[in-house]
Amino acid sequence: MEIWSLPFSPSQRAKLLSAGYTYLHSFSHLSPSALAAGAQTAWDILCEDRTMNHITTSCEDLDGILGGGISCKEITEVGGVPGIGKTQLGIQLAVNVQIPVEYGGLGGKAIYVDTEGSFMVERAFQIAESCIQDIMDKVLQTDDVGVCQENLHVNAILANIFYFRICSYTEQIAVVNYLEKFISAQKDVKIIIIDSVTFHFRQDFDDLALRTRVLSALAQKMMKLAKKFNLAVVLLNQVTTKCTDGSFQLTLALGESWSHACTNRIILYWKGNERCAYLDKSPSLPLSAAPFSVTTKGIRSVASSCKRMRTT
Amino acid sequence: MPPLKSLQHQFPSIDSNLLHFCASHGIFSVEDFLVHDLYMLVALAERQTSSKGLKEGIAQVLTFLNNQHFPWMNGVELLESTQHNKHFLLTGFDGIDTLLCGGLCEGNLTELAGPSSSGKTQFCLHAAAHVAYTYMCSVLYLDTSNSFSSKRISYRVNRLLASPNKGEKGRSLEGIMSSILSHSVFDIFSMFETLHQLELSLSSQLFQAEIQNSKLRLLIVDSISSLITPILGGKGPQGHSLMLNVGFILKKLAIDYNLAVLVTNHTVVGEGGNSKPALGESWKSVPHTRLLLSRDQMSNICNMSILKHTSMACGQTASFRLDG
């Protein structure tokens, strides 16, 4: 392996080259190992995936198009117009990831990185209460109420959401770099939500080439975290207007290069007075849409009697 | 140029005797060795007491130097080797195989560019499944965005196994899927390490003896642009050189070990609002074949067009359908 392909700084590299070392084996012992150590066969991955968990969104239709919910080991990007319910979905997922394994959840903790200041604790409290209520309703049918009441408590759920408030893009990069250490120390973190990944990169960011580089590096680091710790990453994005051939179209912000950074993409949009989610990119699921609604209890399926009116 | 003594521990015949002898004639580095009159050197070595050892050492250095460059071949040899070795790997999409005159060419680096969600990963997964099934070989899938979907591969392989013309019995889903290897790489340096390990494995005898039936024939990198975009541009030219180097390593692997290499790239908006493949002008000349993919809105039909090909006209298109 040659020196230029190793991550040395230019001055170190120059020193090594001038001393006559061009290959790694000149100064270390290298033994040939089996084909790309760490590679798994597709069969092993298939067997693992059969037991993979999904984080439910509490809306059956939305879970349906996502193949059970937000999947671990993948980055899911959620984008939409302001007011459609992105932050609501983020808070719902932060609560739902904590549903104990006995009741169909992951029993894990959540990290919520807030760049816009739109996280409201009172709303999280409300959603957590409704989530516990839903579980109790289901459990009531099997008469295990007592045990359930002991284990689930709203304060415990709120205590397991780790909240980071970010005020600039450098802080955002710093948090992502720090997350690996944090997650290794915490263990059990099963979802990272960044709300929103766009905010600090839109205004006052002059150098667009730098923005592309920084964002793609950020995405790759999140991919690595997702794979290494087997957790789900949800990135919330805003929309912008794109002008094509004289007509204006709404697309997700941060440009073309960013759209390749995620594994799955969900676009939330208004269909008349109803909120809909469209699965725009997925490696294993067909592209489809599903309606959902935002209620006092959180994200729920659409029932014809409780459609909320759009406030404009 | 490295000093002669750095070859010392690699080749035992280049011992301190030889180094001393060379030093007495002013030869300290490999470059000095090349520049010096070798006949004179050998004649002088004859006169020494340990002439046999010295001549062995000189021969060793000359062999080492000869191995540093690719052997010379003439046109006839090249043509014979191409006809003999360079086969096409069918991708499983008939329209695309016709478009590419037979499929993915071994020894070539093929690039597949397209906007987001245009079907690049699906194409790669289908091609991997089809090649592993049809040619009973291994496929290595290097994945940078955790989009390797074993479900899609099993779906494809099951359909192939269920098709009416299955010649061999006893082939199972597990057997075929076990020959498709997937590895995640998240940055350019781990990519270099992975490719280096791959080269070591492919060249070592042990590997070839172990895996007779599952020779590696297809290498897929999905996507190479996610590894390169974080380092391209910026203050120094390092990102640029790393990009070109990864391209050269992939091409070298393709030629040396007769692999078909398929990489995916994303697109950016160019002048006039048209999409063009990312990674810039310098990357354009690296792949042998470049293909552009696009998907019709809300449908399963993808269109592929040729941007660059070594033996076909550009601009030709074909479509394929993503099923399921």
Side-chain angles (χ1 to χ4, degrees), chain A residues 1 4-7 13 19-20 26 30 33-43 45-46 49 73-74 212-213 216-217 220 223-224 226-227 256-257 259-260 263 265 278 280-285 287, chain B residues 2-3 114-117 120 122 144-150 152 154 173-174 177-178 180-184 186 189 192-193 196-198 201 207 226 229-230 232-234 238 242 245 266-267 269 295 298:
Chain A
M1 200 159 167
W4 48 255
S5 63
L6 294 168
R13 195 170 41 238
S26 318
L30 195 67
S33 49
L35 183 65
Q40 279 182 296
T41 64
W43 178 255
I45 299 177
L46 185 68
D49 281 354
K73 284 197 192 166
E74 295 182 357
T212 313
R213 283 201 301 282
S216 22
Q220 287 300 111
M223 281 287 180
K224 197 169 170 184
K227 182 89 194 223
E256 274 280 339
S257 311
S259 57
H260 295 268
T263 313
R265 187 164 48 243
Y278 177 66
D280 187 50
K281 176 179 177 185
S282 165
S284 54
L285 296 160
L287 308 185
Chain B
S116 182
S117 187
K120 307 186 288 296
Q122 294 304 311
T144 65
S145 49
N146 291 340
S147 3
F148 180 78
S149 166
S150 51
R152 291 299 284 165
S154 68
L173 179 67
E174 180 176 353
M177 283 185 71
S178 302
I180 302 176
L181 297 153
S182 161
H183 186 55
S184 295
F186 299 111
F189 296 110
F192 280 125
E193 195 182 316
H196 180 64
Q197 278 185 359
L198 177 62
S201 320
F207 184 86
S226 335
T229 329
L232 201 57
Q238 196 193 13
L242 287 172
N245 278 318
H266 66 262
T267 52
V269 177
R295 187 202 277 232
M298 310 270 186

Side-chain angles (χ1 to χ4, degrees), chain A residues 95-117:
Chain A
V95 167
N96 284 358
V97 74
Q98 300 183 46
I99 297 176
V101 182
E102 306 86 72
Y103 307 118
L106 265 70
K109 301 181 183 158
I111 291 181
Y112 198 98
V113 178
D114 188 4
T115 59
E116 296 177 345

